[in-house]
Amino acid sequence: MNKSEICKILNIEYPIFQGGMAWIADGKLAASVSEAGGLGIIAGGNLTGDAVREQIKIARGLTKKPIGVNIMLLSPYVEEIAKVVVEEKVEVVTTGAGNPSKYMQSWKDANIKVIPVVASVAMAKLMTRLGATALIAEGGESGGHVGELTTMVLVPQVCDATNLPVIAAGGIADGRGMAAVLMLGACGVQMGTRFLSAEECTIHPTYREKILKVGDLCTMVTGKRSGHPIRSLRTDFARNYSKAEYGGVSDEELEQMARGSYREAVVNGNLNEGCFLCGQIAGMVNKVEPAKDIILDVMQGCEEVLKRSALWVK
Ligand code: TUI
């Protein structure tokens, strides 16, 4: 395949980002993706600034290639992480779950390439105006915090609203998905759920087994009442949370149920108290393999369908 514009801007080989999955995307996973030619991204999640710094150092010990840090804007440690990425001279910052406006100038001053996740055209326009390097347009098929729109409708509208390179995310796990979003105007993809099956991804065996086994209807969205909708596996925990949400349980009790639930899933594989974040595409993730093989499989699959696509025209 020809080189994507985002590869030239970021100095990477393949236009594939690994999503900054909270509690999951550590320095080891990020380094393996970057080393394989994609962009590995360390999840800031709810880590402290120093914990993020430690993961950056781990990644730097494993690869010389560019790496990214995702800053989850609802984190209580967002201010310290915003400084750590500058001090550690991280090449790329992605943001999620909010508006990163107040940090953009300081990152740009440090020559960091800033690539916010947007879930609406309005946010895409604002980020373009504030000098973002590129945008990640993430549809609600993704795992974790989701916006209103699907990838299919968000990506072309974001592409029309900006002159920046657009990376598509949400519901993409193979070459067909990648080819499809290239048709919508994107120049690359971000995948989270597919990388849950990477050999280098450290999650509890129960989490891993679920991802490999589940089918098309495996996820649900909870948390709409709190204003922070979250897509996760349809487990007993998610069903109970949903019942509580619509059954008049107090905000405090709901908060108590959710507290620590991402970590509980990733570290302890606890199906009763853990929230297993997962995208709708998990039904297509069936095999554990090195991050490198995942990237090559998606690139080869994409090239194959793009070549065949010429058959549609006279
Ligand atoms: O951020 C994600 N996915 C996530 S974050 C997360 S941890 C979390 N903890 C507590 C509450 C909520 C989440 C788990 N998964 N994806 C990127 C993403 N960003 N998806 C949607 C958005 C988004 C939504 C609204 C980005 C900007 C935005 O702007 C709203 C505004 O106007 O401030």
Side-chain angles (χ1 to χ4, degrees), residues 87-129:
E87 288 158 10
E88 297 298 325
K89 301 187 168 58
V90 160
E91 288 83 1
V92 180
V93 163
T94 65
T95 63
N99 179 346
S101 296
K102 67 188 256 214
Y103 309 103
M104 298 263 294
Q105 195 56 49
S106 69
W107 294 333
K108 286 186 355 168
D109 289 347
N111 270 330
I112 293 175
K113 299 187 171 88
V114 184
I115 313 188
V117 170
V118 299
S120 68
V121 165
M123 191 56 76
K125 285 185 174 161
L126 177 63
M127 292 300 112
T128 304
R129 224 174 26 249

Side-chain angles (χ1 to χ4, degrees), residues 138-150 170-171 193 207 216-224 228-234 238 262 275-282:
E138 185 181 284
E141 297 93 323
S142 70
H145 182 49
V146 288
E148 281 289 327
L149 300 177
T150 60
T193 305
Y207 204 148
D216 56 343
L217 298 176
C218 62
T219 72
M220 61 190 282
V221 174
T222 55
K224 282 199 174 148
H228 299 303
I230 291 283
R231 182 176 299 285
S232 68
L233 284 178
R234 192 183 290 278
Y262 305 153
C275 179
F276 292 69
L277 301 184
C278 175
Q280 285 186 314
I281 205 71

Side-chain angles (χ1 to χ4, degrees), residues 63-81:
T63 185
K64 300 260 166 304
K65 299 192 177 170
I67 54 163
V69 169
N70 173 261
I71 303 188
M72 205 280 284
L73 293 160
L74 295 167
S75 160
Y77 304 106
V78 57
E79 298 287 336
E80 43 186 273
I81 300 174

